[in-house]
Each structure stands twice: as C-alpha cells, then as structure tokens.
Amino acid sequence: MQALQDVKKFGTAPVFFTAISTILGAVMFLRFGFSVGNVGLLGTLAIIIIGHLVTIPTAMAIAEIATNQKVEGGGEYYIISRSFGLVIGSTIGIALYLSQAISVAFYILAFTEAFSSFFGWLAQNFSLPSWLVWLFAQKQTIGIPALLGLTYIMLTKGADLGVKALYIVVATLGISLLAFFVGTTEYSQTHGLDLMSTVADIPQAVNKIVTNSDLTTQQFQDSTTYLNPSPATSPVQQQDEPPSPLIPLGFFTVFAIIFPAFTGMTAGVGLSGDLRDPGKSLPMGTMAATLFGMIIYVFIAYKLAASASPADLADTSKLVMADIAWQGWWLIPLGLAAATISSALGSIMVAPRTLQAIARDQIFPTPGVNNWLSKGKGAADEPFNATVLTVILAGAFILAGALDMVAQVISMFFMVTYGSLCLISFLNHFAADPSYRPKFKSRWYISLFGAIACFGLMFFMNGGYAVVAIISMVGLYFVIASFNKDKKSIALIFQGVIFQFSRQLQVFLQKADKEQTKSWRPSAVAFSERSFDRLGAFHLLRWISQKYGFGTYIHRINGYLSRQSGIESKQCKDRLIKMAETTDSNIYVDTMVTPSFTSGIAQIMQLPGIAGTENNLLIFEFAKKNPEEVAEIVDNFKLIQALDFDVLVLGGSERGFGLKKQIHIWITSADYDNANLMILLAYIIMGHKDWREAEIKIFAIYPEGSIEEERNRFLMLISAGQLPISPNNIEFITRKPDISNRTVISQKSKDADLTIVGFREEALTHHGKDVFGNLDEIGNVLFVSAGKQKEIK
C-alpha cells in the first residue's frame, strides 16, 4: 500500500492542464468565430457568461466536496456514487464513462480537421490519383493512427507520460493563441472596437438576442456540419466551391453549439487517484482552469469581432482564426491539432479510470467482468484493461465517422453529471451533516442554481436529446438495480435531507395553528411483547396506517434497562425492521424496555406523534385462549381514558384473519360513541390491498321500540353518501331478553374474518375482563372504545 502511495506524485499542475486543455479545445477554433458572426460580440459574451453560470457552480461544488472527503480513483464517479449511493451513482457513472470514451473519438475526429487545409493544398498543387484524394478526405486516415498513438502512450507509459505529453501540447496551444492575439488584419485596422463600452452594453442587448431564437431543424444540422463533415462536403472535395451563405441563427441554438467549449473543467478530477493531495489539487486546479478559460474566451471573442466581418466569421468553410493570426496558416492548424489531441489525451486518461472505479464497486453483472476491468498494471495501478476497452469503443465511433447525434446526447450526459455534482453540494448544505466540513465552502444557493441551470439548459439546448438521455439513464438505472439488489440502500445524503425535512415539518406543524376539524385520521401506537409469535397487532397496525394514517409499533421488553437488555432491544428492533420491509409496511418500529405494563403505557401515551399529529389511538392484543392476558389492559384502562385515547383490543384466535373476505361490524344501543369509529376502521382496513376483495356487513342490535328509528338513520346516512354500503349489507336484529348479544354474534359471525364490536369503560368497571370473553367460537375480534365520538362525513 505504501508503494502505491509513493507513486501518486502528481500535484495541482496536471489537474489544471488537463482541465484547461479540454476547455480550450476544438470548439474554440472551429466554432467561436461562427458564434460571433451569428449573434455578435455581445451575444457571444452573453453565451460565455450564461455558460459559466453552469460551469463555475460545478467547479465550486467539486472544490467543496473534494476538500471534505478523500476523493479516490474515479473522480466524479467516486464523488457521485459515495453521495447518491452505488446504484444511482453507477448509473450516472456509466453514462459519464460513455461520455468520456466517446469524447475521445469526437476530439480525434476534430483533430483530423487540422490536416484538411494541408490535404487540400496537396490536392490543388499536385496531380494525385483519385483514390488518394478519396483517402485524404476520410477522417479515419488520420483519426485511427492518432488513436493508436494515444493508445501506445497510455498502455506503455501510463498517466505519467500522458501528463508530460500534456505539457507539450498545452505549450503548443499557448503559442498558437499568442500568435492569434498578436495577429492583425485589414479589417481590424479599419474597424475599431472599444472593449469597455462593448461590455457595458451587454445587459441592454441580451434581451434582444434571446428573443431571436427561431431556427429550423435543417438550419441547425447545416450549422453543425463543419465539426463532423461527411466525405461529400469535406474541404478536400469542395475546395473550389464558394462558401456557404450566412444563415442567421437564434441565440440558444448558437449556445447549444458553443456550450461544449466551456465544459471539461471536471476532466482533472479523474486523476484524483494519482494525486498526492486531492483535497488541495482538485479545487485549486479546477477553479483556476475554469476562471482562466473564461477570461481567454472573452478575449478571443473580442479579438474575432475586431478582426473580421460577421460574414467571414460565420463562414464555416474556412478556419477564420488562421486568417487573423500571425503565421496563422500553420500555427493555427497546429494549435487546433494540439487542442484536440490534448482533449483526447485528457479523456483517454480519465475514462478508463472511471470504468475501473465502477468495476471495483462490483456493479457489472458477473464477477469475471468486474475483476477484468478493475485490474491495474504496475505500481501505479494503471487501468490497462479498462484502457483497452475504451480504445476499442472510441475506435468504433471513429470508424463510424458520424457523431452529430451521439455527440449531442453525450453532452446531455455531461450536463447530468454537472447537475448531479451541484445537487450533491446543495443537498449536503441542506442535510447539515456535522461530519460535512469542507475547507472550501460554496454557497447553497450557488449550488442549487447550478443544478437547476444544468437540467434546464438540457431542454433549451435540445429537448429531444434531453428526453433521450433521461430515458436512457432511467432504463440503465433499472438494469443496474436488478443486478445489484444488495446495493439499493438509501444513501446517507438522502437520509440527512429526509431528516431535515422531517425536523422542519415537525417544528412548523407544532407552531402552526391547528385547524379545528371533525375529520378523524388515525395516528396509532401498537404495544405488545408477543411481536414475533402473535402477528395480529402488527398486521392490524400496518393495515390502518398504510394509506389513511400513521403507525408506530412498540415491542415491549420486560425488565430494566441494562447493557444486556440494550443488546436484546437492538436485536428485536432489527427483526421488526425486517418484518416491516418484508410486508412493505409504512410503519415506524421501535422497542421499549420497561419493568411493568403500567410504566410502558405511561411512556407510549407520551410518545410524540408523526408528521405533527398527536397520537390518538392505542392498539393492544391478547390470545382468546388465554384471557388472563387481558387483565393488564383492564387494570390500566382508566389511565388510558384520562387522555381520551381511542383504544383497540385485538382478541386473537388460531384462525387469525382467515381469508380476509368478510368484516362484520356489530353495533348495539350501547355503542353510541363507538359506532362511527368502528365503521371508519372497517373501511380503512378494507382500503389495504390485503383486503381488496373483502366486503363489510353491519349488524345492528336494538330494542324493538327503537329499531325502526335506527333503520331510518342508517338509510339516511347511506342516501347522503356518508355510509358507502348497500342497504342489503345492513341487518337489523331485534334484541331479545332471553338471548345474549354475544350468542347472536357467535352465530352470525362464525365465518367472518374480522369481527368488530364495541365496549365502554362502564362495562369494564362492572364486568372486568369478561367484556372480552364469550366469543371463542369465532375468528379474530377487534374490541373498540372511542375516546370521543367521531363524525362520518
């Protein structure tokens, strides 16, 4: 391990040069004049500013995250996967890798454009055979050897020589830019520009520029032809044809074409595993490259506007920077070659490291693939196998030659990556994790703006490709999730965000004036020490709280709090959590160590409610074959009623809840306060998918003198829509003095899967635990006592 650390010798410079060489790339040479020619200097400056409203927050987000945690190999992927979790992180990571790998092909194809003028000169001045002219017109003629050369560098010398080569190409790029800035033209001598007054006019001009955004699909395709020209339109074959006419383009269309010029500031992050001090080098190198690139682009735009007419600038058939620069006929093509090959070099250094990091997280379906891709070579752990696969992928796209559509979809993946990095920074601010203490701090509103801007600009740039990118990533997520079921736990950052939402919501609801309403919603607490051998109370709670209310399940551990009982408590809680997950339950579970039932009742009655609501319903259970267990409930009922809790006591039978087809509700003249709660509970339970085929039947037992009155009352509730039940499902029974109600219930509900009956405090005072007896012949019985009468709306 120490030997591996010793070879990680890169400092800040490789981060800066990798990023700046990617920022100052092909688009700068091939499309910046096009931008100035179409939307003018002010429009181009506005594009630079808007573009950096995305890239600067992203660079700040990377700087912040990198100074809080150690960034291992994989760079951006490592940050995203350790923040969002491996499944979401690897989804974005694979898209990022494809972007980086195909970018190699894109940059190499742009690199071939540096040779177009030379091949055109050869074709014009020498009598070449037609097959050779055709060969020169093919981008693969230069592209494939260039890719093989980069492959040789990476596979034989690794990142060390890659960085040294990076210094050479960046120096060449600097010389070509210097030649461009010192160059003069006849136009620049006759048309002067005042830079300060031009910048001052930006705000007044932006609105006018933005409103001019009409462009047909064909015009957009025409405008992008030069980056990836087909053989039929290459400079070699059309050297004698006049330049294409100027096509006026809209602001956001030009923005979509130019924006890739500002990306690349995260390229250096992929070297994180090879840096001596990533926490220092990543933020310094990334921020410096982003700001330096922005300044260079401002001066390039000004120089272009001052040195050539709009028509010449917008003409994509020639390299206008070569006409402006000193010795531009060879220095600018050389600079273009340096810029594009350096971008390709940066991508071919970073992409395999991203793939290697993904494989080391065991994301791919088979261990063999993960092991092969994750293997490193030498003391520096060079991603040899991942580099081979990256080169093969890039070579395939170079041979295909047409990257217009793919390049735009790939740019969407980059935007998703940048937006994710900004979102991670924002969520870390919001989650307020005490362990999140970066040395460099962005601001939450800057990160939030960057995230919104990234995702919003995707649709401004090209809505169709944005949709394709999003659908592709959603599909990729489900594929990865299906092969990595063990990695789908919620990420720590989301847990922190949920915690903050919950905390803020609880405080808000507690402080807010509570709306006085007669609508009742259950906020239930179930309390049992037989959680694992009698599941009735657990199931009842999850049915009640699944949709209409909130539920907390407390497993009682009899005894005093100690180290041993604490261990037992944790083990029981883990079992309860697994039960809740297995049954897909929306309940909160916990344990309580208490020496007596009474102290446990006193504690659970004081538990804070969920989502700002006070707990209002207690659930207990007992086995009907062992009625002695109900004695504790009877003894503590006055304590419960003192706080007006509704109480449910489930009498469990060996039959359990049966087939979950029939719910019987028994209402008597003594259930004036209980009746509505009993009906509401039945409908709440039936709303759960486990009871979707069930039906409710109401039995009303009343004295002969009042039965008609009660019948009319029920029918009025049905006709008013307050009782969603057919009159055929209500049976009115005249109470007979020689037959007890329990006898009638036992006869009528012997096939019911759940029987609901009411009870009152007065009955407990006179009859004690016998209130819960004499129903042994039927299945599970739910005894209901309402603290206050409920209203059915």
Side-chain angles (χ1 to χ4, degrees):
M1 180 61 68
Q2 183 61 41
L4 185 59
Q5 290 294 115
D6 292 341
V7 298
K8 293 183 178 181
K9 55 187 177 180
F10 296 152
T12 303
V15 179
F16 172 81
F17 286 121
T18 301
I20 197 64
S21 66
T22 308
I23 292 172
L24 303 177
V27 177
M28 177 184 71
F29 287 97
L30 299 176
R31 275 292 174 266
F32 238 69
F34 168 83
S35 174
V36 176
N38 277 278
V39 299
L41 175 59
L42 295 178
T44 303
L45 292 178
I47 288 174
I48 294 172
I49 292 171
I50 294 174
H52 283 82
L53 289 177
V54 169
T55 59
I56 290 178
T58 304
M60 294 177 69
I62 292 175
E64 179 181 83
I65 297 168
T67 57
N68 178 74
Q69 66 184 61
K70 183 180 180 181
V71 181
E72 301 288 350
E76 295 156 283
Y77 164 72
Y78 183 87
I79 292 173
I80 294 171
S81 62
R82 269 50 181 182
S83 299
F84 284 162
L86 287 179
V87 175
I88 296 177
S90 59
T91 301
I92 299 174
I94 291 175
L96 172 65
Y97 164 72
L98 291 174
S99 303
Q100 295 167 340
I102 299 175
S103 292
V104 175
F106 178 80
Y107 291 129
I108 287 180
L109 287 172
F111 167 74
T112 64
E113 294 301 321
F115 298 87
S116 297
S117 59
F118 174 70
F119 289 154
W121 178 80
L122 287 178
Q124 186 177 9
N125 292 279
F126 295 94
S127 178
L128 300 177
S130 58
W131 66 267
L132 188 58
V133 174
W134 177 88
L135 185 64
F136 285 160
Q138 309 309 306
K139 295 182 285 292
Q140 295 84 352
T141 302
I142 297 295
I144 295 299
L147 178 64
L148 294 176
L150 290 178
T151 303
Y152 173 79
I153 292 175
M154 298 309 302
L155 294 183
T156 59
K157 303 300 180 181
D160 192 14
L161 183 58
V163 169
K164 293 177 181 178
L166 194 61
Y167 293 150
I168 296 174
V169 294
V170 169
T172 305
L173 178 60
I175 293 172
S176 66
L177 285 175
L178 181 62
F180 169 70
F181 284 120
V182 300
T184 60
T185 63
E186 181 180 348
Y187 184 90
S188 64
Q189 296 173 353
T190 57
H191 297 75
L193 280 179
D194 184 353
L195 180 60
M196 297 307 296
S197 62
T198 300
V199 173
D201 290 338
I202 291 178
Q204 293 83 1
V206 168
N207 183 57
K208 179 180 178 181
I209 294 169
V210 172
T211 56
N212 180 26
S213 58
D214 294 330
L215 179 69
T216 66
T217 301
Q218 184 59 47
Q219 288 173 326
F220 180 80
Q221 294 173 346
D222 292 343
S223 71
T224 59
T225 299
Y226 190 72
L227 273 177
N228 294 286
S230 63
T233 59
S234 68
V236 173
Q237 292 186 329
Q238 295 209 358
Q239 54 190 308
D240 298 326
E241 294 183 10
S244 58
L246 174 64
I247 301 174
L249 303 180
F251 177 80
F252 280 111
T253 302
V254 177
F255 178 88
I257 298 170
I258 297 300
F259 179 75
F262 313 133
T263 62
M265 71 285 181
T266 62
V269 181
L271 297 174
S272 55
D274 300 291
L275 301 176
R276 286 193 302 270
D277 187 0
K280 175 184 177 182
S281 297
L282 288 179
M284 289 183 60
T286 302
M287 287 298 298
T290 302
L291 296 176
F292 182 73
M294 179 180 179
I295 294 171
I296 290 296
Y297 276 128
V298 168
F299 283 106
I300 289 176
Y302 176 77
K303 178 68 175 180
L304 288 168
S307 302
S309 66
D312 289 334
L313 292 171
D315 184 1
T316 58
S317 66
K318 59 183 179 181
L319 196 58
V320 69
M321 289 182 69
D323 297 333
I324 298 172
W326 175 77
Q327 295 292 309
W329 67 273
W330 69 277
L331 281 178
I332 294 302
L334 183 63
L336 172 60
T340 51
I341 206 66
S342 65
S343 298
L345 183 60
S347 296
I348 207 171
M349 287 170 63
V350 170
R353 285 163 170 78
T354 300
L355 183 61
Q356 184 186 49
I358 295 172
R360 285 182 172 172
D361 284 333
Q362 301 295 306
I363 296 299
F364 297 107
T366 62
V369 173
N370 288 311
N371 294 336
W372 188 79
L373 290 175
S374 62
K375 282 184 179 178
K377 180 182 179 182
D381 196 32
E382 292 289 341
F384 185 91
N385 294 341
T387 300
V388 171
L389 182 60
T390 301
V391 170
I392 293 174
L393 183 61
F397 279 97
I398 290 174
L399 291 174
L403 289 180
D404 286 344
M405 182 185 73
V406 175
Q408 293 181 70
V409 174
I410 292 304
S411 69
M412 298 299 169
F413 291 151
F414 273 121
M415 293 295 284
V416 170
T417 302
Y418 298 157
S420 299
L421 291 169
C422 291
L423 188 60
I424 289 169
S425 173
F426 166 72
L427 292 177
N428 274 315
H429 280 277
F430 184 83
D433 188 342
S435 64
Y436 188 72
R437 301 186 304 274
K439 297 177 182 177
F440 174 88
K441 287 189 176 182
S442 181
R443 296 291 182 268
W444 68 266
Y445 47 85
I446 295 177
S447 298
L448 177 60
F449 176 82
I452 295 173
C454 284
F455 297 122
L457 284 174
M458 288 175 62
F459 292 91
F460 274 111
M461 292 166 66
N462 193 310
Y465 289 130
V467 172
V468 170
I470 291 173
I471 292 176
S472 300
M473 295 188 72
V474 170
L476 182 60
Y477 169 82
F478 284 110
V479 171
I480 293 174
S482 66
F483 289 107
N484 295 272
K485 293 182 172 62
D486 59 324
K487 300 183 178 71
K488 294 200 305 184
S489 59
I490 186 170
L492 184 62
I493 190 172
F494 292 128
Q495 295 180 30
V497 170
I498 293 171
F499 167 80
Q500 288 296 334
F501 265 121
S502 176
R503 184 178 70 87
Q504 297 288 349
L505 184 62
Q506 292 276 5
V507 173
F508 170 77
L509 290 175
Q510 187 179 51
K511 291 180 178 179
D513 293 333
K514 296 195 180 294
E515 180 183 356
Q516 296 299 319
T517 176
K518 295 181 181 180
S519 179
W520 179 82
R521 184 183 296 274
S523 183
V525 180
F527 188 57
S528 174
E529 63 178 324
R530 305 293 295 273
S531 305
F532 306 112
D533 58 346
R534 292 206 299 250
L535 301 178
F538 179 85
H539 288 311
L540 181 63
L541 178 67
R542 70 184 184 89
W543 293 330
I544 290 175
S545 60
Q546 179 74 16
K547 180 179 180 182
Y548 297 102
F550 307 98
T552 303
Y553 188 92
I554 304 296
H555 173 72
R556 177 193 170 195
I557 298 175
N558 193 21
Y560 292 93
L561 188 61
S562 64
R563 180 177 181 82
Q564 183 60 38
S565 63
I567 294 173
E568 181 184 356
S569 175
K570 185 180 184 305
Q571 292 172 344
C572 290
K573 184 175 180 179
D574 290 341
R575 292 179 67 185
L576 289 171
I577 291 173
K578 289 181 180 178
M579 285 170 54
E581 290 177 345
T582 302
T583 55
D584 192 25
S585 304
N586 293 333
I587 61 175
Y588 179 81
V589 298
D590 208 340
T591 58
M592 179 181 294
V593 180
T594 179
S596 69
F597 189 82
T598 301
S599 65
I601 291 292
Q603 291 180 68
I604 66 170
M605 290 173 63
Q606 299 176 73
L607 287 175
I610 300 175
T613 62
E614 298 295 335
N615 292 322
N616 56 21
L617 176 65
L618 298 182
I619 300 176
F620 305 100
E621 59 86 29
F622 72 98
K624 288 196 294 181
K625 66 180 181 180
N626 187 16
E628 296 299 324
E629 295 179 354
V630 84
E632 288 183 318
I633 301 173
V634 175
D635 294 341
N636 290 276
F637 195 78
K638 286 187 177 295
L639 173 61
I640 298 170
Q641 286 293 91
L643 297 182
D644 292 330
F645 273 83
D646 301 319
V647 180
L648 307 184
V649 181
L650 178 65
S653 67
E654 293 182 359
R655 180 183 174 185
F657 290 101
L659 302 176
K660 303 181 184 66
K661 298 289 187 180
Q662 297 184 59
I663 299 177
H664 288 186
I665 303 173
W666 287 87
I667 299 174
T668 70
S669 56
D671 292 317
Y672 179 78
D673 291 333
N674 297 331
N676 287 348
L677 176 59
M678 295 160 66
I679 294 171
L680 284 170
L681 286 170
Y683 278 102
I684 290 173
I685 292 171
M686 201 173 70
H688 193 277
K689 61 182 180 180
D690 290 353
W691 292 83
R692 59 180 174 270
E693 296 181 2
E695 68 173 6
I696 295 173
K697 190 166 186 178
I698 297 176
F699 297 90
I701 304 179
Y702 288 96
E704 187 174 357
S706 62
I707 196 166
E708 285 302 320
E709 179 184 347
E710 295 300 330
R711 187 195 306 273
N712 292 332
R713 186 175 72 87
F714 272 95
L715 292 176
M716 287 179 61
L717 289 173
I718 293 172
S719 63
Q722 294 178 305
L723 190 59
I725 191 172
S726 169
N728 296 329
N729 284 356
I730 301 179
E731 183 176 341
F732 293 90
I733 302 172
T734 302
R735 188 173 67 193
K736 298 179 180 180
D738 57 335
I739 302 177
S740 69
N741 290 345
R742 295 298 168 93
T743 302
V744 177
I745 294 173
S746 297
Q747 293 174 351
K748 294 282 188 179
S749 297
K750 59 184 178 182
D751 294 325
D753 299 305
L754 176 63
T755 302
I756 302 177
V757 299
F759 73 97
R760 296 186 303 163
E761 181 182 2
E762 294 84 353
L764 285 181
T765 302
H766 290 92
H767 303 289
K769 63 182 181 181
D770 291 340
V771 169
F772 304 105
N774 301 318
L775 290 172
D776 297 337
E777 295 83 4
I778 63 176
N780 284 4
V781 180
L782 185 62
F783 299 91
V784 177
S785 176
K788 292 182 180 179
Q789 186 182 17
K790 308 299 183 291
E791 180 176 325
I792 298 179
K793 292 190 173 182

